[in-house]
Amino acid sequence: MTIAEVQPLSKLKPARDDGARLGFRLTLPAQLLVLFIAVFPLLMQLYISLTDWSPLSGASWPQAWQFWNSFANYSDLISDNRLWSALGRTLFIIAICVPIEFLLGLGLATLFVDDFPGKRVAYSILIAPMMVVPAVAGYMFFMLFQSGGPVNDILSWFTPDPVAIAWLSDRHLALVAVMVTDIWQWTPLMFLILLAGLVGVPSDQLKAAALLGASPWQRFRTIVIPRMKTIIIIALAIRVIECFKIFDTLFIMTGGGPGVATETISVYIYKVTTNDLIWGYVAAIALAILIVLSIGAVWAMKRLAR
Amino acid sequence: MTRSLAFEAFRYSAILLALAVTLIPILWMASMAFKPVAEWQATGANLTWIPDDPTLDNFRFLFGESNSNLIVALDRTAGKPILSSLLSATFGTILAMTAGTAAAYGLSRFGSGANLPLALIQLRLFPPMAVMIPVMMMWAFLGLMDTWWGLALVYGIVKTFFDEMPKEIEEAALVEGCSRWRVFIRVTLPMMAAPLAAASLFVFILNWSDYLIALLLTTREWVTIPVYMASLSSSMTGQLYGAKAALGLIAAVPPVILGIVIQKHLVRGLTFGALKQ
């Protein structure tokens, strides 16, 4: 085709309609998947959540109306102490783990801004924990935290007597072990993201500030932090969201125990789903969480947009 | 800028400490995988950090060979779970990439499906736990329970939005004279080969790592590696640490290799495309 043969305007218009049609067709598979996996399940969930239906009740789920209980599931929620303490525990884990991961990640990232021999290798090793399948990481730390295991062995090097702490069967220590695992696995993510941000801070500005006599801390606070603001928010947001969902490592290490000492929201829902099988109630919990999270997410996005 | 010796010393020791903390758990698992039964059962003062007597027994045990030092034998080998993990991760990736690439193109070029980004971000935001009940009900309803492709379907959608497209691609589509579909297939896709490949590897790692969805949607026939791993314990011997470590090592290999391959794209993938490196 030569330039002279460029199509006249009248012919371009159908082409645009053609584009709209193709666009519709291209997005159709994804739309269907969303419908099939999100919209339809949510409606189903809403329906089930208004009943006492369970897979053992003898009727298939479309007949769940026979077990209609109006909003009883939702009012039960409010007085469900186990649910509230699972929620509190999840928030506690977020409040401890995310700041530690952030500070460790930021500290390591600052050390990696300048070149040093072996930097590439060190970098590859440091981000390795993210690649380890979380379930495998769970087994790994389950082994490490056994009372006759390596963690106690290392501690024994520093104490006169051999240490034999039963990490995973103590209420408080089990929580510590679970959080250590999360920090081990996800500090690398903070490191990776924050390093990408730090590298992007223009070095001429830093040099100029240094010439003007700004201390490293002043440079960090007045140049680096403002530049990194978006990146820091993204990194924190990702970790808070992921940490809220914490399940794999924790469930494998402790199964939520001893008792309910490490039971988070996901573990609680899992247990009620598979052990107690009261699915009508689980559906109500799940929907309540989705609604609260949605409101939180919309609020956060609006604030971020400003 | 010259830095004091003390600072350099601090810097190197901090980095070395971080490397040690990062590596010790992984090395411990690797060491366990090659230990004979007596060594991986040892506790306390008898712990060995490096196997005295390295052996491949644990790997052989996983694939059905009986171990003279263990009373138990496995009722099913690790072969099928590994296959199941591979199949579900692969098919999930193909599904996600197909739907995701097409949707991303339709959205960025023609503005179709404007509701998709928010819908997909929300899917990623919510705990999978919170929609699993209806999904399990649907799967049982459709007879898909316990099949790897049922799993793949879930993966497909949860991971779809990862596939986000850079703007340059739109320019390629400006080439007129053949149908837009042909432009997409012949011009755009080949141009995008490298980023698409990176995105697929990324989605593959995520699918491969899944535990929760597999735990809920598979029962026995098609359990994936992480779910199967839990069955590697018996009332006779307790936890089969050696076999677990060996399987853990096998499970860790693909993501670590793929992770190194796509190192350049990791920041972008992990921040859901919010950060471009």
Side-chain angles (χ1 to χ4, degrees), chain B residues 136-196:
Chain B
M136 281 165 82
M137 282 156 57
M138 269 163 50
W139 255 235
F141 182 62
L142 296 169
L144 295 181
M145 197 76 151
D146 209 11
T147 59
W148 51 263
W149 50 289
L151 249 183
L153 210 54
V154 175
Y155 287 142
I157 187 60
V158 177
K159 311 297 164 24
T160 313
F161 79 97
F162 265 106
D163 189 21
E164 179 246 29
M165 204 162 53
K167 292 270 191 287
E168 304 89 67
I169 202 168
E170 292 173 30
E171 284 144 33
L174 286 172
V175 181
E176 294 285 349
C178 51
S179 77
R180 289 178 189 271
W181 175 249
R182 276 175 67 94
V183 171
F184 176 54
I185 296 292
R186 292 287 170 83
V187 183
T188 317
L189 282 184
M191 263 184 54
M192 287 285 291
L196 285 180

Side-chain angles (χ1 to χ4, degrees), chain B residues 41-58:
Chain B
Q41 284 179 334
T43 56
N46 300 320
L47 278 185
T48 47
W49 282 87
I50 298 162
D52 286 335
D53 188 13
T55 162
L56 287 175
D57 279 356
N58 294 320

Side-chain angles (χ1 to χ4, degrees), chain B residues 92-232:
Chain B
T93 306
I94 293 173
L95 188 68
M97 289 306 295
T98 314
T101 311
Y105 188 69
L107 180 64
S108 71
R109 185 76 185 101
F110 312 114
S112 314
N115 64 317
L116 276 177
L118 188 67
L120 295 175
I121 290 276
Q122 287 207 321
L123 272 183
R124 186 68 201 166
L125 174 72
F126 296 146
M129 209 59 250
V131 285
M132 276 337 273
I133 285 226
V135 169
M136 281 165 82
M137 282 156 57
M138 269 163 50
W139 255 235
F141 182 62
L142 296 169
L144 295 181
M145 197 76 151
D146 209 11
T147 59
W148 51 263
W149 50 289
L151 249 183
L153 210 54
V154 175
Y155 287 142
I157 187 60
V158 177
K159 311 297 164 24
T160 313
F161 79 97
F162 265 106
D163 189 21
E164 179 246 29
M165 204 162 53
K167 292 270 191 287
E168 304 89 67
I169 202 168
E170 292 173 30
E171 284 144 33
L174 286 172
V175 181
E176 294 285 349
C178 51
S179 77
R180 289 178 189 271
W181 175 249
R182 276 175 67 94
V183 171
F184 176 54
I185 296 292
R186 292 287 170 83
V187 183
T188 317
L189 282 184
M191 263 184 54
M192 287 285 291
L196 285 180
S200 359
L201 295 184
F202 196 84
V203 175
F204 183 89
I205 295 179
L206 286 176
N207 288 350
W208 179 265
S209 304
D210 170 71
Y211 173 62
L212 176 59
I213 299 175
L215 186 64
L216 285 166
L217 289 186
T218 62
T219 47
R220 188 181 164 83
E221 203 47 39
W222 284 105
V223 294
T224 56
I225 296 176
V227 183
Y228 171 76
M229 215 181 237
S231 70
L232 289 176

Side-chain angles (χ1 to χ4, degrees), chain A residues 159-197:
Chain A
T159 54
D161 301 315
V163 180
I165 305 169
W167 289 90
L168 297 177
S169 39
D170 179 276
R171 292 184 50 213
H172 303 292
L173 292 179
L175 205 55
V176 172
V178 162
M179 292 194 290
V180 166
T181 310
D182 193 74
I183 291 167
W184 177 83
Q185 185 150 42
W186 295 114
T187 298
L189 176 72
M190 288 284 192
F191 163 72
L192 190 74
I193 297 177
L194 294 174
L195 181 58

Side-chain angles (χ1 to χ4, degrees), chain A residues 31 37 45 114 124 139 148 153 245, chain B residues 44 49 115 124 130 134 229-230:
Chain A
Q31 297 280 22
I37 212 99
Q45 184 138 306
D114 298 322
S124 296
Y139 285 116
D153 194 40
K245 301 194 271 193
Chain B
W49 282 87
N115 64 317
R124 186 68 201 166
M229 215 181 237

Side-chain angles (χ1 to χ4, degrees), chain A residues 26-231:
Chain A
L26 284 172
T27 43
L28 193 61
Q31 297 280 22
L32 286 178
L33 282 171
V34 169
L35 200 68
F36 187 63
I37 212 99
V39 178
F40 183 55
L42 283 179
L43 293 176
M44 210 158 144
Q45 184 138 306
L46 180 64
Y47 171 52
I48 298 297
S49 75
L50 297 171
T51 70
D52 275 333
W53 183 80
S54 100
L56 301 179
S57 60
S60 63
W61 69 267
Q63 271 105 51
W65 53 267
Q66 295 167 3
F67 307 93
W68 187 264
N69 68 0
S70 316
F71 290 90
N73 284 332
Y74 289 92
S75 49
D76 286 351
L77 260 179
I78 294 161
S79 53
D80 185 347
N81 286 331
R82 202 171 146 204
L83 172 70
W84 292 109
S85 57
L87 184 65
R89 213 170 283 118
T90 312
L91 296 178
F92 176 75
I93 293 176
I94 294 175
I96 302 287
C97 286
V98 176
I100 293 181
E101 285 159 16
F102 174 75
L103 291 176
L104 286 177
L106 185 64
L108 275 174
T110 13
L111 297 179
F112 271 71
V113 173
D114 298 322
D115 279 328
F116 61 86
K119 181 173 161 181
R120 280 189 62 87
V121 180
Y123 178 83
S124 296
I125 292 176
L126 277 185
I127 61 173
M130 284 190 307
M131 305 297 159
V132 175
V133 178
V136 172
Y139 285 116
M140 229 158 70
F141 278 85
F142 177 81
M143 288 193 281
L144 291 169
F145 279 112
Q146 289 306 303
S147 59
V151 169
N152 283 341
D153 194 40
I154 292 176
L155 291 177
S156 302
W157 299 346
F158 305 101
T159 54
D161 301 315
V163 180
I165 305 169
W167 289 90
L168 297 177
S169 39
D170 179 276
R171 292 184 50 213
H172 303 292
L173 292 179
L175 205 55
V176 172
V178 162
M179 292 194 290
V180 166
T181 310
D182 193 74
I183 291 167
W184 177 83
Q185 185 150 42
W186 295 114
T187 298
L189 176 72
M190 288 284 192
F191 163 72
L192 190 74
I193 297 177
L194 294 174
L195 181 58
L198 280 179
V199 170
V201 175
S203 55
D204 46 347
Q205 284 189 13
L206 288 176
K207 275 185 195 139
L211 283 178
L212 292 172
S215 70
W217 169 244
Q218 279 175 325
R219 271 177 278 157
F220 187 73
R221 221 193 45 196
T222 56
I223 300 175
V224 178
I225 293 286
R227 283 247 162 204
M228 300 253 299
K229 206 170 160 195
T230 326
I231 291 174

